C-alpha cells in the first residue's frame, strides 16, 4: 500500500524557520496537502495542492514539492505553531487516501 | 455555519459491531464526497473510507470487508457500519468533507470526532 514518510519530530526556536518533509513515490504525480492538528482538536488545512495557502492561514506557512518530496515551511515559527503536522495525498489511482505519520513541531 | 457532528461511538467488545453517524448542516450535502478518518490515541491520522456523490465507495485495506460506509442525502447524513471490531480499531473517528480546490480534492471540514473503544 502507498505510504508517505515524515520525520517524527522537528524542533526550532521562536522566529526560526521550520521545515517538515514528506516523501512518497506518488508525489511527482499527486498533490500534497498539509494539515495542522493541535492537541484535542480536529485537523486544519494549512497548505493545499503543494503550495497554496487557504484564506486565513498566516503567510509564514508555505509549501513546495519536488520529485518525491513535499516540504512544509514555517518561516519565523511562533509558539502558537506548536502542533502535529500531517501531509496528505492520494495513491496514483486517486481512490485511496493516505496520511503521513505526522511530525510533532516544537517551538521553544 | 458549516458543521459535521459525529455520534454513535462507545465501548464495545472485540468481535462486536457499532454504527457511527455524521450529521451534516450548513451546506448542500449531496454535492460533496464524504470520508471517515480515524486517529488512535496519541497516534497519527488514518484514512478509513470514502463515498462519492454518485455512491462509489473505497476502503482502506485495514477495514475492507468489515466496515461499510453509506450516505443518506435526504437526511444529510453519513454512516459507518463497523463489524467484527478489533482492539486495533480503537480510535477517534472523524467525519470529513472533501472539496475540490483548483486541481484536486482535499478535506476542508472535519467534525469533532466520536470515540470508539474496543475491549479485548
Amino acid at each position: 500500500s502507498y505510504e508517505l514518510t515524515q520525520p517524527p519530530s522537528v524542533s526550532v526556536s521562536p522566529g526560526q524557520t521550520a521545515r517538515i518533509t514528506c516523501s512518497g513515490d506518488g508525489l511527482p504525480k499527486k498533490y500534497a496537502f498539509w494539515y495542522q492538528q493541535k492537541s484535542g482538536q480536529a485537523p486544519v488545512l494549512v497548505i493545499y495542492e503543494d503550495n497554496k495557502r487557504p484564506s486565513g492561514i498566516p503567510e509564514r506557512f508555505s509549501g513546495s514539492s519536488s520529485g518525491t518530496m513535499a516540504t512544509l515551511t514555517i518561516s519565523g515559527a511562533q509558539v502558537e505553531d506548536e502542533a502535529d503536522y500531517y501531509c496528505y495525498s492520494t495513491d496514483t489511482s486517486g481512490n485511496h487516501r493516505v496520511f503521513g505519520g505526522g511530525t510533532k513541531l516544537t517551538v521553544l | 455555519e458549516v458543521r459535521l457532528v459525529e455520534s454513535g461511538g462507545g465501548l464495545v467488545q472485540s468481535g462486536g459491531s457499532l454504527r457511527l453517524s455524521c450529521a451534516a448542516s450548513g451546506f448542500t450535502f449531496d454535492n460533496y464526497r464524504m470520508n471517515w478518518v480515524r486517529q488512535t490515541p496519541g497516534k497519527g491520522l488514518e484514512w478509513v473510507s470514502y463515498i462519492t456523490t454518485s455512491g462509489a465507495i473505497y476502503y482502506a485495506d485495514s477495514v475492507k470487508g468489515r466496515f461499510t460506509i453509506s450516505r443518506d442525502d435526504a437526511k444529510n447524513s453519513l454512516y459507518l457500519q463497523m463489524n467484527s471490531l478489533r482492539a486495533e480499531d480503537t480510535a477517534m473517528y472523524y467525519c470529513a468533507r472533501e472539496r475540490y480546490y483548483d486541481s484536486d480534492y482535499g478535506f476542508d471540514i472535519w467534525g469533532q470526532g466520536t470515540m470508539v473503544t474496543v475491549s479485548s
Side-chain angles (χ1 to χ4, degrees), chain B residues 33 38 67 88 99 102 104 113:
Chain B
R33 300 177 173 185
R38 68 185 180 184
F67 290 11
E88 55 264 36
R99 62 159 277 193
D102 297 333
D104 201 358

Side-chain angles (χ1 to χ4, degrees), chain A residues 81-105:
Chain A
D81 298 331
E82 274 206 351
D84 294 323
Y85 290 85
Y86 295 89
C87 63
Y88 161 85
S89 189
T90 62
D91 67 1
T92 51
S93 75
N95 294 326
H96 288 261
R97 285 93 177 92
V98 62
F99 289 94
T103 299
K104 182 176 182 60
L105 175 66

Side-chain angles (χ1 to χ4, degrees), chain A residues 1 30-31 33 35 37 40-45 48-49 52 54 84 86 88 90 94-101, chain B residues 33 35 37 39 43-47 50 58-61 64 94 98 101-108 110-112:
Chain A
S1 60
K30 292 293 184 179
Y31 287 107
F33 290 65
Y35 292 89
Q37 186 181 34
Q41 298 181 20
V44 172
L45 180 70
Y48 67 97
E49 294 174 359
K52 300 173 185 177
D84 294 323
Y86 295 89
Y88 161 85
T90 62
N95 294 326
H96 288 261
R97 285 93 177 92
V98 62
F99 289 94
Chain B
R33 300 177 173 185
N35 289 254
V37 176
Q39 186 168 33
K43 297 285 181 66
L45 299 168
E46 179 188 15
W47 171 73
Y50 98 97
Y58 300 90
Y59 298 101
D61 291 344
K64 189 180 290 187
Y94 293 100
E98 278 191 27
Y101 289 88
D102 297 333
S103 306
D104 201 358
Y105 286 91
F107 305 121
D108 67 332
W110 299 69
Q112 285 304 304

